[in-house]
Each structure stands twice: as C-alpha cells, then as structure tokens.
Amino acid sequence: MSPHRVVALLNPPQSPFELGCAAEVFGGVAAARYDFGVCAERPGPVETTVGYAMLVEAGLEAVGDADTVVI
C-alpha cells in the first residue's frame, strides 16, 4: 500500500506554527503512512508571519497529485 499523499498549500504570509502542526501530524511519527509535502502558487520564497521566508520548491501541480490538501 502506498502512502497517502498530503500537500500543504502555503500562502504568504504563512504562519510557521500552523505549518509545523501539519508537518508534525503528517510528516513526523506518521511518516510511514503519509507522504507530506508543501507547495505554493509559484515555487520560490514564501514570506512568513515572523519575518523570514521559506523556500518552496513545488508549485500548484503538487495539489493535483495529492490525496489530501491542507490549506
């Protein structure tokens, strides 16, 4: 059985806390059951609510490949 694909769609300014919660649920201990990733409208830096940018490598095409999208 392949892992359930979960993608978090990031929107600037992104809260690192909220993203961290999703990453812990789907990418932490449960990583064997889930394939967790992030995407944005356009790949590149995404500003956060705390003043630094996160580099996001996937664009919206990742949403089409996901089983579940976290917004």
Side-chain angles (χ1 to χ4, degrees):
M1 181 176 189
S2 62
H4 188 87
R5 292 171 298 194
V6 179
V7 173
L9 176 59
L10 307 187
N11 292 297
Q14 177 62 51
S15 165
F17 175 77
E18 292 171 0
L19 177 58
C21 291
E24 283 296 319
V25 169
F26 297 110
V29 176
R33 291 191 145 145
Y34 298 101
D35 178 16
F36 179 72
V38 297
C39 71
E41 183 177 0
R42 284 180 287 289
V46 174
E47 290 298 320
T48 67
T49 56
V50 293
Y52 61 85
M54 291 185 282
L55 182 58
V56 178
E57 296 179 355
L60 289 178
E61 70 281 350
V63 171
D65 295 332
D67 297 309
T68 300
V69 178
V70 177
I71 300 176

